[in-house]
């Protein structure tokens, strides 16, 4: 049976939550493979609206196993709070349908404090982090001083891990004007949360490989977008993990051969939250209209998203680095009523034409978009569930995007409702 990886092909906020929910109905396992609770997925199911941050989107579907892989960094206090919040909406979450990898790194309170202190340094350019400790936790993982889920089960090991972490963090905090971490208080907090977290802990790598051999369908869910990838994103204005599809394997412990299809979630225009380059950003009435009609505010932070025209160069890049087999084009309905639309087909860099975004930050800052103008449409695409319901010009827009990004459209989303989706190619087809 096919196993599918879902990745965002832009700067996040592409509408992954709805598509993952739509696909999860036919999946047996839904696995988160990177990121932290800085990501936000909004699911609309009937009259219910679920806002997820750490939990995989599959938790709202009965009869599915949701897993949090080792590629995620997890705030255990936030996870328990989120579980309780989703339970209050009538969703049953138990160790039977949610598993957390034993080797998942844990976000500590001092990670968030460090994140916010750094971002507040006026002498250094802001990265635009959410201040939730994601980056500092990934730093500790690479520095081999992070506390992992399995460490919560043994007091002696936990104390050793805490001591190693504080040996690094307390001098760092002193330099930033922060008080040293209270060791006894931190250990007390960890012992208290351990009782709530450990029932969910398990060998995710083993379970996923067993499920695969049994012919079960696995849906791998990424957070953020590929343009925020630590290696291939608009560095340094990126997240602290790999976001591209290859991370699905290393972030869960399943081999890359288990990935059968990569679905790239792509917004019909472009948005970005926070700092960093954005070649097609609009600061005029068109940009304002896109933001208002698209309700462009972050699920996690509430921050207003920057809006711009569709950038085919960027999406073509991310389709290549993630090996995208097909895209799901979302929010097409937001473009209804525009007299004309623009698509960035190349960049001008000091008189040189480029078909990709250069790596160097100074070169990224100097590129200007080269646009192709396409006629808009007056009819409505909202709620369409077949090609026949789309205006002819909307279909032309979709087909032109396919040509420019060198990747076919597999799905078209025409509203937040999960059933308002046009299926072109089934990612789960054998």
């Amino acid at each position: 049976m096919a196993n599918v990886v879902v990745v965002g092909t832009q700067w996040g906020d592409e509408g992954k939550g709805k598509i993952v929910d739509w696909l999860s109905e036919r999946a047996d396992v839904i696995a988160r493979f990177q990121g932290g609770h800085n990501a936000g997925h909004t699911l609309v199911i009937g009259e219910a609206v679920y806002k997820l941050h750490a939990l995989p989107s599959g938790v709202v579907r009965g009869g599915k196993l949701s897993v949090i892989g080792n590629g995620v960094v997890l705030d255990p206090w936030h996870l328990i709070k989120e579980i309780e919040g989703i339970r209050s909406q009538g969703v049953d979450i138990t160790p039977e349908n949610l598993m957390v990898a034993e080797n998942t790194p844990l976000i500590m309170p001092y990670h968030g404090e460090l994140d916010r202190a750094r971002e507040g340094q006026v002498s250094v350019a802001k990265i635009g982090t959410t201040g939730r400790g994601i980056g500092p936790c990934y730093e500790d993982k690479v520095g081999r001083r992070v506390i992992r889920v399995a460490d919560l089960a043994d007091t002696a090991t936990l104390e050793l891990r805490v001591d190693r972490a504080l040996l690094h963090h307390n001098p760092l905090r002193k330099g930033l004007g922060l008080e040293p971490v209270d060791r006894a208080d931190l250990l007390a907090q960890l012992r208290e949360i351990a009782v709530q977290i450990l029932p969910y802990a398990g060998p995710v790598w083993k379970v996923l490989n067993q499920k695969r051999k049994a012919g079960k369908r696995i849906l791998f869910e990424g957070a953020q977008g590929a343009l925020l990838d630590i290696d291939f994103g608009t560095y340094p204005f990126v997240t602290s993990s790999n976001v591209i599809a290859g991370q699905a394997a290393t972030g869960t412990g399943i081999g890359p051969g288990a990935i059968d299809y990569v679905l790239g979630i792509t917004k019909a225009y472009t948005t970005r939250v926070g700092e960093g380059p954005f070649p097609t950003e609009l600061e005029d009435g068109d940009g304002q209209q896109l933001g208002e009609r698209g309700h462009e505010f972050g699920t996690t932070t509430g921050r207003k998203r920057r809006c711009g025209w569709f950038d085919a160069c960027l999406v073509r890049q991310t389709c290549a680095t993630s090996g995208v087999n097909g895209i799901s084009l979302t929010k097409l309905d937001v473009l209804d009523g525009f007299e004309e639309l623009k698509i960035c087909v190349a960049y001008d860099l000091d008189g040189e034409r480029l078909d990709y975004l250069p790596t160097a930050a100074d070169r990224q800052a100097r590129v200007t978009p080269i646009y192709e103008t396409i006629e808009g449409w007056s009819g409505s695409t909202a709620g369409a569930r077949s090609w026949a319901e789309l205006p002819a010009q909307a279909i032309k827009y979709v087909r032109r995007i396919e040509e420019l990004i060198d990747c076919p459209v597999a799905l078209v989303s025409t509203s937040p409702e999960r059933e308002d989706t046009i299926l072109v190619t089934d990612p789960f087809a054998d």
Side-chain angles (χ1 to χ4, degrees), residues 128-150:
T129 77
T130 59
R132 285 163 168 73
I134 311 300
C137 186
Y138 275 118
E139 289 178 41
D140 278 3
K141 176 182 178 178
V142 176
R144 293 165 291 186
R145 55 180 172 265
V146 82
I147 299 164
R148 305 196 296 180
V149 171

Side-chain angles (χ1 to χ4, degrees), residues 176-213:
L176 290 168
L178 299 173
E179 292 295 319
V181 175
D182 186 320
R183 179 182 184 272
D185 181 61
L186 177 61
L187 284 168
Q189 291 182 61
L190 289 171
R191 293 187 187 107
E192 181 180 357
I193 200 67
V195 179
Q196 301 177 71
I197 291 292
L198 286 173
Y200 297 98
V204 161
W205 68 269
K206 182 178 180 180
V207 170
L208 289 182
N209 279 279
Q210 289 173 339
K211 295 288 186 182
R212 181 197 176 198
K213 290 179 180 178

Side-chain angles (χ1 to χ4, degrees), residues 397-408:
Y397 182 76
V398 174
R399 294 306 188 198
R400 185 56 180 150
I401 284 176
E402 287 182 312
E403 294 172 355
L404 291 169
I405 67 173
D406 194 26
C407 187

Side-chain angles (χ1 to χ4, degrees), residues 53-64:
H53 303 274
L55 289 169
S57 297
V59 296
V60 299
R61 293 286 161 193
K64 314 290 180 181

